[in-house]
PDB file of all heavy atoms in Angstrom:
ATOM      1  N   PHE A 381      10.318   8.657  -5.268  1.00 95.00           N
ATOM      2  CA  PHE A 381      11.767   8.262  -5.125  1.00 95.00           C
ATOM      3  C   PHE A 381      12.268   7.780  -6.461  1.00 95.00           C
ATOM      4  O   PHE A 381      13.407   8.305  -6.797  1.00 95.00           O
ATOM      5  CB  PHE A 381      11.879   7.170  -4.095  1.00 95.00           C
ATOM      6  CG  PHE A 381      13.334   6.690  -3.927  1.00 95.00           C
ATOM      7  CD1 PHE A 381      14.203   7.399  -3.239  1.00 95.00           C
ATOM      8  CD2 PHE A 381      13.672   5.429  -4.571  1.00 95.00           C
ATOM      9  CE1 PHE A 381      15.533   7.030  -3.147  1.00 95.00           C
ATOM     10  CE2 PHE A 381      15.062   5.027  -4.365  1.00 95.00           C
ATOM     11  CZ  PHE A 381      15.968   5.858  -3.648  1.00 95.00           C
ATOM     12  N   ILE A 382      11.602   7.056  -7.217  1.00 92.00           N
ATOM     13  CA  ILE A 382      12.112   6.599  -8.541  1.00 92.00           C
ATOM     14  C   ILE A 382      12.200   7.823  -9.447  1.00 92.00           C
ATOM     15  O   ILE A 382      13.179   7.946 -10.167  1.00 92.00           O
ATOM     16  CB  ILE A 382      11.065   5.551  -9.097  1.00 92.00           C
ATOM     17  CG1 ILE A 382      11.207   4.245  -8.308  1.00 92.00           C
ATOM     18  CG2 ILE A 382      11.379   5.286 -10.598  1.00 92.00           C
ATOM     19  CD1 ILE A 382      10.135   3.202  -8.670  1.00 92.00           C
ATOM     20  N   ASN A 383      11.223   8.692  -9.482  1.00 92.00           N
ATOM     21  CA  ASN A 383      11.393   9.850 -10.282  1.00 92.00           C
ATOM     22  C   ASN A 383      12.457  10.832 -10.024  1.00 92.00           C
ATOM     23  O   ASN A 383      13.100  11.355 -10.861  1.00 92.00           O
ATOM     24  CB  ASN A 383       9.997  10.638 -10.321  1.00 92.00           C
ATOM     25  CG  ASN A 383       8.876   9.796 -11.052  1.00 92.00           C
ATOM     26  OD1 ASN A 383       9.205   9.035 -11.949  1.00 92.00           O
ATOM     27  ND2 ASN A 383       7.627  10.165 -10.825  1.00 92.00           N
ATOM     28  N   LYS A 384      12.718  10.905  -8.658  1.00 92.00           N
ATOM     29  CA  LYS A 384      13.891  11.811  -8.228  1.00 92.00           C
ATOM     30  C   LYS A 384      15.239  11.212  -8.631  1.00 92.00           C
ATOM     31  O   LYS A 384      16.160  11.915  -9.064  1.00 92.00           O
ATOM     32  CB  LYS A 384      13.880  11.972  -6.779  1.00 92.00           C
ATOM     33  CG  LYS A 384      12.784  12.982  -6.283  1.00 92.00           C
ATOM     34  CD  LYS A 384      12.891  13.247  -4.830  1.00 92.00           C
ATOM     35  CE  LYS A 384      11.850  14.141  -4.428  1.00 92.00           C
ATOM     36  NZ  LYS A 384      11.681  14.298  -2.883  1.00 92.00           N
ATOM     37  N   THR A 385      15.351   9.842  -8.585  1.00 91.00           N
ATOM     38  CA  THR A 385      16.650   9.267  -8.977  1.00 91.00           C
ATOM     39  C   THR A 385      16.775   9.210 -10.459  1.00 91.00           C
ATOM     40  O   THR A 385      17.954   9.237 -10.884  1.00 91.00           O
ATOM     41  CB  THR A 385      16.715   7.764  -8.394  1.00 91.00           C
ATOM     42  OG1 THR A 385      15.609   7.037  -8.880  1.00 91.00           O
ATOM     43  CG2 THR A 385      16.681   7.803  -6.989  1.00 91.00           C
ATOM     44  N   LYS A 386      15.780   9.246 -11.237  1.00 87.00           N
ATOM     45  CA  LYS A 386      15.833   9.321 -12.658  1.00 87.00           C
ATOM     46  C   LYS A 386      16.344  10.648 -13.073  1.00 87.00           C
ATOM     47  O   LYS A 386      16.991  10.836 -14.089  1.00 87.00           O
ATOM     48  CB  LYS A 386      14.556   8.944 -13.406  1.00 87.00           C
ATOM     49  CG  LYS A 386      14.168   7.517 -13.373  1.00 87.00           C
ATOM     50  CD  LYS A 386      12.896   7.258 -14.166  1.00 87.00           C
ATOM     51  CE  LYS A 386      12.574   5.883 -14.192  1.00 87.00           C
ATOM     52  NZ  LYS A 386      11.274   5.643 -14.951  1.00 87.00           N
ATOM     53  N   LYS A 387      15.919  11.677 -12.442  1.00 85.00           N
ATOM     54  CA  LYS A 387      16.233  13.052 -12.860  1.00 85.00           C
ATOM     55  C   LYS A 387      17.736  13.351 -12.537  1.00 85.00           C
ATOM     56  O   LYS A 387      18.288  14.290 -13.170  1.00 85.00           O
ATOM     57  CB  LYS A 387      15.405  14.045 -12.146  1.00 85.00           C
ATOM     58  CG  LYS A 387      13.960  14.058 -12.656  1.00 85.00           C
ATOM     59  CD  LYS A 387      13.058  15.059 -11.989  1.00 85.00           C
ATOM     60  CE  LYS A 387      11.624  14.973 -12.523  1.00 85.00           C
ATOM     61  NZ  LYS A 387      10.779  15.896 -11.902  1.00 85.00           N
ATOM     62  N   LYS A 388      18.313  12.676 -11.608  1.00 72.00           N
ATOM     63  CA  LYS A 388      19.774  13.134 -11.370  1.00 72.00           C
ATOM     64  C   LYS A 388      20.753  12.556 -12.309  1.00 72.00           C
ATOM     65  O   LYS A 388      20.715  11.897 -13.138  1.00 72.00           O
ATOM     66  CB  LYS A 388      20.100  12.421  -9.889  1.00 72.00           C
ATOM     67  CG  LYS A 388      19.384  13.147  -8.795  1.00 72.00           C
ATOM     68  CD  LYS A 388      19.868  12.593  -7.505  1.00 72.00           C
ATOM     69  CE  LYS A 388      19.232  13.263  -6.419  1.00 72.00           C
ATOM     70  NZ  LYS A 388      19.518  12.750  -5.094  1.00 72.00           N
TER      71      LYS A 388
END
Side-chain angles (χ1 to χ4, degrees):
F381 178 76
I382 290 171
N383 287 339
K384 283 182 183 178
T385 56
K386 283 184 180 178
K387 289 182 181 178
K388 289 185 179 180

